[in-house]
C-alpha cells in the first residue's frame, strides 16, 4: 500500500427523494480517503448505505452533495471522454454472481463485452486469447468460454464476474459483498483470488461487507457505517483490538475472538431497539436510540468526526472533551416534577 491517495470521498451525501416531501438519507456526510494499492473495507448492517456509496463513487448515482474525486478529478464533473476512461479504471463486482451475469450470453461473450464497448482488442482472435488468459487468471479454463452462467457453481460464477471486471485492466475495483452469497467453504477461495490478483496487478479495492469478520483478513483499513454515516475508521487491527465507537463494539461483540485473554476481558455491548428509518433519522447522533452509552448531548448535537489516535477516527461524543457530563441517560436518576 502506498501513501498516495487515489480516491477521496468528501462530505458525500446521497438522498433519495421519495415524493410527498419524504427524503431518504441513504448516505449523509461521509468522508474517507483510499490509498493506492490498499483494501479499504466498508462495513455496516443491511440498509446503512454501503451499496449507495459504491454506486455514487462509480457515478451510477448522482450525488446530492459533496465530492468524489478519483486521481484528483471529481467523478461527477467528468466530460464524456473522461467518463469513458474512468470506467476503464474503475470496475465493480457484485454480490449476486448469478443476477449480474446475463444468462443468455456465453462466458466468453460476457467477458468480451467490456472490451468491445471500449474497443480494446478489435481483432476477434486476439480478444478471445485475452478472454482465455483472464479465465486462467481467475482459476477457470479456456473451455469454459463457450458455456453459460447456469452451468457454474456460485464460486465459479463469482470468478467469471472477477474476470469480467479485470477485462479492461482496471486500477480500482469496488467489490460489493462479493462473497456474502457464497458458501463459507468457497468464500476463502474467492478472497484468496482477490488478494492474489491485487498483489499481481497492484489493484486497489473498496471491499463492502455487512459482517466485520469477513473484512478483517482482507482489509488494510476499515470504515464502519451506521444509518448513512461513517462512525469509525482505522486500520483493521486497531479496529478489532481497540474499537472506540459503541456501535463498532457492538458489532464486534457479535463475533467470537480466538484469543481467550481478549475474549475474557472485553465488554459485551448488546444493542437494544430497532434500526431507525433513514427517512426520519434520530436527531443529534443517529446511533443514540440504540446506544447503551447515550447521554443528553447525543440528542441535541451531531458528533464531529475526530481523530482519537494516529489514523483512528470516530464520530462519538464520548471522545469530545467539550462535553463534560458523560453520564449515560439510562444511569441517571429519573427527574421528579
Ligand atoms: N434507488 C433507491 N431509491 C430509494 N431508496 C434507495 C435506493 N437505493 C437504496 N435505497 C435506500 O437507501 C438505504 C441504503 O441502501 P443500500 O442499498 O445502500 O444499503 P446497504 O448498506 O448496501 O445494504 P445491504 O447490506 O442490504 O446491501 C436503504 O434504506 C435503501 O432502502
Ligand atoms: Mg448493499
Amino acid at each position: 500500500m502506498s501513501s498516495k491517495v487515489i480516491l477521496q470521498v468528501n462530505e458525500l451525501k446521497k438522498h433519495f427523494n421519495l415524493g410527498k416531501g419524504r427524503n431518504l438519507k441513504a448516505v449523509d456526510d461521509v468522508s474517507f480517503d483510499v490509498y493506492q494499492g490498499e483494501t479499504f473495507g466498508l462495513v455496516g448492517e443491511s440498509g446503512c448505505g454501503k451499496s449507495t456509496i459504491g454506486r455514487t463513487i462509480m457515478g451510477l448515482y448522482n450525488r446530492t452533495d459533496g465530492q468524489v474525486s478519483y486521481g484528483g478529478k471529481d467523478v461527477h464533473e467528468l466530460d464524456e471522454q473522461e467518463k469513458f476512461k474512468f470506467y476503464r479504471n474503475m470496475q465493480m463486482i457484485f454480490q449476486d454472481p448469478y443476477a449480474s451475469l446475463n444468462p443468455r450470453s456465453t462466458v466468453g461473450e460476457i467477458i468480451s463485452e467490456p472490451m468491445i464497448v471500449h474497443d480494446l482488442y478489435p481483432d476477434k482472435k486476439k480478444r478471445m486469447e485475452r478472454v482465455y488468459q483472464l479465465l486462467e487468471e481467475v482459476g477457470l479454463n479456456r473451455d469454459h468460454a463457450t458455456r453459460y452462467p447456469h452451468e457454474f457453481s456460485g464460486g465459479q460464477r463469482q470468478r467469471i464476474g472477477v474476470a469480467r471486471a479485470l477485462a479492461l485492466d482496471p486500477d480500482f475495483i469496488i467489490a460489493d459483498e462479493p462473497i456474502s452469497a457464497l458458501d463459507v467453504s468457497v468464500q476463502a477461495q474467492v478472497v484468496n483470488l482477490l488478494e492474489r490478483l491485487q498483489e499481481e496487478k497492484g489493484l486497489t479495492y473498496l471491499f463492502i461487507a455487512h459482517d466485520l469478520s469477513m473484512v478483517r483478513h482482507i482489509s488494510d483499513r476499515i470504515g464502519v457505517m451506521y444509518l448513512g454515516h461513517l462512525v469509525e475508521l482505522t486500520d483493521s487491527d486497531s479496529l478489532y483490538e481497540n474499537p472506540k465507537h459503541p456501535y463498532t463494539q457492538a458489532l464486534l461483540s457479535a463475533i467470537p475472538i480466538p484469543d481467550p485473554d481478549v475474549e475474557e476481558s472485553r465488554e459485551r455491548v448488546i444493542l437494544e431497539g430497532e434500526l431507525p428509518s433513514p427517512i426520519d433519522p434520530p436527531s443529534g447522533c443517529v446511533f443514540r436510540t440504540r446506544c447503551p452509552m447515550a447521554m443528553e448531548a447525543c440528542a441535541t448535537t451531531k458528533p464531529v468526526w475526530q481523530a482519537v489516535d494516529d489514523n483512528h477516527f470516530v464520530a462519538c461524543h464520548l471522545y469530545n472533551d467539550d462535553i463534560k457530563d458523560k453520564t449515560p441517560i439510562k444511569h441517571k436518576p429519573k427527574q421528579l416534577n
Side-chain angles (χ1 to χ4, degrees), residues 186-232:
V186 183
Q187 286 179 344
Q189 294 170 17
V190 174
V191 165
N192 289 344
L193 170 68
L194 291 172
E195 287 188 318
R196 175 170 62 73
L197 292 168
Q198 178 170 48
E199 207 154 292
E200 287 171 9
K201 297 172 186 292
L203 291 163
T204 308
Y205 291 142
L206 178 67
F207 192 99
I208 296 173
H210 56 259
D211 177 343
L212 265 170
S213 61
M214 265 183 203
V215 288
R216 179 176 190 177
H217 176 66
I218 193 167
S219 304
D220 296 294
R221 294 184 307 138
I222 297 176
V224 179
M225 284 190 73
Y226 183 81
L227 210 66
H229 295 256
L230 203 57
V231 298
E232 185 160 4

Side-chain angles (χ1 to χ4, degrees), residues 47 226-227 273-282 286-290:
Y226 183 81
L227 210 66
E274 300 267 312
L275 186 66
S277 163
I279 299 173
D280 188 19
V286 289
F287 183 56
R288 71 176 165 86
T289 53
R290 295 171 79 197

Side-chain angles (χ1 to χ4, degrees), residues 16 18 24 26 44-53 61 95 176-177 210 278:
F16 293 106
L18 305 180
L24 188 149
E45 59 202 303
S46 183
C48 71
K50 305 177 298 292
S51 296
T52 303
I53 289 193
Y61 286 151
Q95 171 171 357
D176 189 354
E177 307 219 30
H210 56 259

Side-chain angles (χ1 to χ4, degrees), residues 274-313:
E274 300 267 312
L275 186 66
S277 163
I279 299 173
D280 188 19
S283 62
C285 172
V286 289
F287 183 56
R288 71 176 165 86
T289 53
R290 295 171 79 197
C291 181
M293 312 297 285
M295 44 200 163
E296 272 158 13
C298 304
T300 54
T301 315
K302 194 175 164 172
V304 291
W305 186 239
Q306 64 180 96
V308 285
D309 222 329
D310 280 352
N311 302 315
H312 197 156
F313 300 87

Side-chain angles (χ1 to χ4, degrees), residues 13-265:
K13 284 189 200 200
K14 176 64 199 173
H15 296 178
F16 293 106
N17 185 347
L18 305 180
K20 297 188 181 146
R22 289 181 318 149
N23 204 18
L24 188 149
K25 297 175 176 168
V27 176
D28 219 18
D29 273 331
V30 168
S31 303
F32 62 91
D33 291 342
V34 178
Y35 296 102
Q36 190 156 38
E38 80 166 329
T39 298
F40 186 95
L42 200 55
V43 293
E45 59 202 303
S46 183
C48 71
K50 305 177 298 292
S51 296
T52 303
I53 289 193
R55 296 177 143 263
T56 313
I57 289 173
M58 283 289 283
L60 301 174
Y61 286 151
N62 289 324
R63 61 179 160 188
T64 303
D65 204 358
Q67 290 90 35
V68 177
S69 38
Y70 182 77
K73 284 207 163 138
D74 187 331
V75 308
H76 296 102
E77 301 281 340
L78 302 177
D79 62 31
E80 289 306 311
Q81 207 183 347
E82 289 170 323
K83 222 180 255 175
F84 202 65
K85 199 168 152 231
F86 172 67
Y87 286 127
R88 258 190 82 168
N89 286 331
M90 188 174 286
Q91 292 287 315
M92 224 164 161
I93 305 172
F94 300 93
Q95 171 171 357
D96 182 339
Y98 196 56
S100 60
L101 302 176
N102 184 349
R104 281 177 295 275
S105 298
T106 63
V107 168
E109 286 163 351
I110 288 169
I111 299 173
S112 312
E113 200 210 308
M115 295 189 253
I116 294 170
V117 170
H118 283 261
D119 207 18
L120 280 184
Y121 305 97
D123 177 67
K124 183 155 188 225
K125 195 158 165 274
K126 291 214 172 91
R127 191 161 67 234
M128 286 319 288
E129 280 308 317
R130 171 76 175 147
V131 168
Y132 300 147
Q133 182 200 348
L134 286 162
L135 283 170
E136 278 159 16
E137 278 183 1
V138 300
L140 298 169
N141 65 59
R142 56 169 59 211
D143 299 337
H144 290 139
T146 52
R147 310 232 305 245
Y148 289 85
H150 72 264
E151 298 176 54
F152 294 87
S153 69
Q156 286 175 318
R157 287 197 290 250
Q158 198 55 293
R159 289 173 191 270
I160 298 165
V162 173
R164 179 181 56 185
L166 292 175
L168 300 177
D169 206 10
D171 296 322
F172 196 112
I173 292 182
I174 299 181
D176 189 354
E177 307 219 30
I179 57 172
S180 305
L182 304 178
D183 284 352
V184 175
S185 58
V186 183
Q187 286 179 344
Q189 294 170 17
V190 174
V191 165
N192 289 344
L193 170 68
L194 291 172
E195 287 188 318
R196 175 170 62 73
L197 292 168
Q198 178 170 48
E199 207 154 292
E200 287 171 9
K201 297 172 186 292
L203 291 163
T204 308
Y205 291 142
L206 178 67
F207 192 99
I208 296 173
H210 56 259
D211 177 343
L212 265 170
S213 61
M214 265 183 203
V215 288
R216 179 176 190 177
H217 176 66
I218 193 167
S219 304
D220 296 294
R221 294 184 307 138
I222 297 176
V224 179
M225 284 190 73
Y226 183 81
L227 210 66
H229 295 256
L230 203 57
V231 298
E232 185 160 4
L233 165 57
T234 186
D235 61 88
S236 304
D237 288 344
S238 305
L239 193 79
Y240 283 81
E241 284 155 21
N242 193 10
K244 299 287 187 190
H245 198 285
Y247 179 59
T248 315
Q249 292 168 356
L251 281 184
L252 284 167
S253 282
I255 49 175
I257 293 177
D259 180 337
D261 292 336
V262 179
E263 180 72 34
E264 181 96 338
S265 63

